[in-house]
């Protein structure tokens, strides 16, 4: 919602990443202790009705921070990107192309969603907390060839499709924010697909940013 609001005012964030997503109460989506065993027992189940609902799923105030690299773009206009963390850089940034602001933010949101589902960033090596970022030439090759893998049989087809529609090399073919809201996974999200362990990692990552909310 926050990114859509910015886009509606012709503002491109330009540096969306985990560190710039702030949780107001430091709680993360998690499973109650008494349900952890039940959750473990259903990991191999394909029955959607068996998924456990996460506690605190809707009790978080999420805020987007750090608009230092943001740019105002009139609708349809393009500009050069000015930076950003390599783990989230879109193909057009690596290829020194003019960017489409909303499409750039959508790419970054795809990287964030991937990390929420898997506990790692799509083009890094290892988990988020390991900070194992490939060198620039390797990263550029992986991004342009979409060399990423979910490595999980537990994720639904819709979850993977939602990420895949965001991580598209062509800016014009990348899904838009309004279309994302109508994507089946976004409209009928299964909370159990957000890995509890992954969310703990994300929480620690977010806590490294010292903001008072």
């Amino acid at each position: 919602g926050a990114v859509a609001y910015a886009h509606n005012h012709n503002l491109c964030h330009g540096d969306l990443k985990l560190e710039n997503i702030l949780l107001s109460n430091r709680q993360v989506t998690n499973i109650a202790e008494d349900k952890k065993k039940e959750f473990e027992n259903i990991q191999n189940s394909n029955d959607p009705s068996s998924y456990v609902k996460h506690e605190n799923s809707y009790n978080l105030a999420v805020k987007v921070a750090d608009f230092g690299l943001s740019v105002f773009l009139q609708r349809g206009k393009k500009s050069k990107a000015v930076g950003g963390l390599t783990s989230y850089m879109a193909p057009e940034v690596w290829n020194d192309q003019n960017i489409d602001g909303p499409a750039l933010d959508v790419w970054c949101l795809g990287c964030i969603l991937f990390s929420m589902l898997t506990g790692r960033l799509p083009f890094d090596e290892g988990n988020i907390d390991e900070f194992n970022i490939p060198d620039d030439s390797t990263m550029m090759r992986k991004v342009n060839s979409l060399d990423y893998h979910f490595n999980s049989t537990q994720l639904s087809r819709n979850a993977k499709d939602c990420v895949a529609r965001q991580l598209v090399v062509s800016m014009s073919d990348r899904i838009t924010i309004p279309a994302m809201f109508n994507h089946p996974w976004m409209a009928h999200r299964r909370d159990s697909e957000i890995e509890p362990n992954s969310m703990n990692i994300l929480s620690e990552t977010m806590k490294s940013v010292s903001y008072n909310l």
Side-chain angles (χ1 to χ4, degrees):
V3 178
Y5 179 86
H7 289 179
N8 286 339
H9 290 78
N10 299 323
L11 179 65
C12 164
H13 187 284
D15 192 25
L16 290 170
K17 55 187 176 183
L18 291 172
E19 292 84 349
N20 288 339
I21 299 177
L22 310 180
L23 307 180
S24 64
N25 59 7
R26 303 305 183 193
Q27 283 183 299
V28 297
T29 302
N30 208 340
I31 293 177
E33 290 295 328
D34 61 349
K35 293 183 180 178
K36 283 187 177 179
K37 186 173 181 180
E38 181 183 356
F39 178 79
E40 293 170 358
N41 291 337
I42 65 169
Q43 285 299 296
N44 296 320
S45 173
N46 293 320
D47 179 10
S49 65
S50 66
Y51 282 87
V52 179
K53 178 177 174 57
H54 288 206
E55 303 242 334
N56 302 321
S57 296
Y58 309 105
N59 295 330
L60 299 176
V62 182
K63 300 183 180 182
V64 177
D66 190 0
F67 283 77
L69 296 181
S70 62
V71 292
F72 279 100
L73 292 177
Q74 293 300 318
R75 201 171 297 276
K77 297 291 184 180
K78 295 188 177 182
S79 175
K80 289 290 185 182
V82 293
L85 192 63
T86 57
S87 298
Y88 299 85
M89 278 187 182
E92 57 267 25
V93 180
W94 285 109
N95 299 330
D96 197 29
Q97 297 174 317
N98 287 335
I99 65 164
D100 176 281
L104 175 64
D105 282 346
V106 166
W107 174 277
C108 296
L109 290 173
C111 293
I112 291 171
L113 177 57
F114 181 96
S115 70
M116 293 177 68
L117 293 169
T118 66
R120 53 191 172 82
L121 287 162
F123 305 103
D124 283 4
E125 298 170 357
N127 290 333
I128 296 169
D129 57 348
E130 296 174 356
F131 299 103
N132 192 355
I133 303 174
D135 60 77
D136 285 0
S137 61
T138 300
M139 184 69 84
M140 183 176 181
R141 175 188 58 78
K142 293 180 71 173
V143 166
N144 279 305
S145 61
L146 297 179
D147 183 10
Y148 69 89
H149 307 279
F150 288 97
N151 296 334
S152 172
T153 59
Q154 302 301 318
L155 294 176
S156 67
R157 184 176 301 176
N158 280 340
K160 294 178 180 180
D161 182 72
C162 190
V163 172
R165 289 178 183 272
Q166 295 172 77
L167 299 183
V168 174
V169 173
S170 170
M171 290 177 279
S172 61
D173 293 334
R174 210 170 290 161
I175 194 172
T176 63
I177 294 287
M180 281 175 57
F181 284 139
N182 292 320
H183 188 278
W185 190 81
M186 294 291 290
H188 307 287
R189 190 177 74 253
R190 290 197 312 204
D191 290 341
S192 56
E193 293 199 81
I194 304 297
E195 259 301 323
N197 292 334
S198 302
M199 289 304 294
N200 289 333
I201 294 171
L202 301 186
S203 177
E204 292 304 314
T205 303
M206 293 174 185
K207 285 179 183 177
S208 67
V209 185
S210 57
Y211 285 95
N212 292 321
L213 299 179

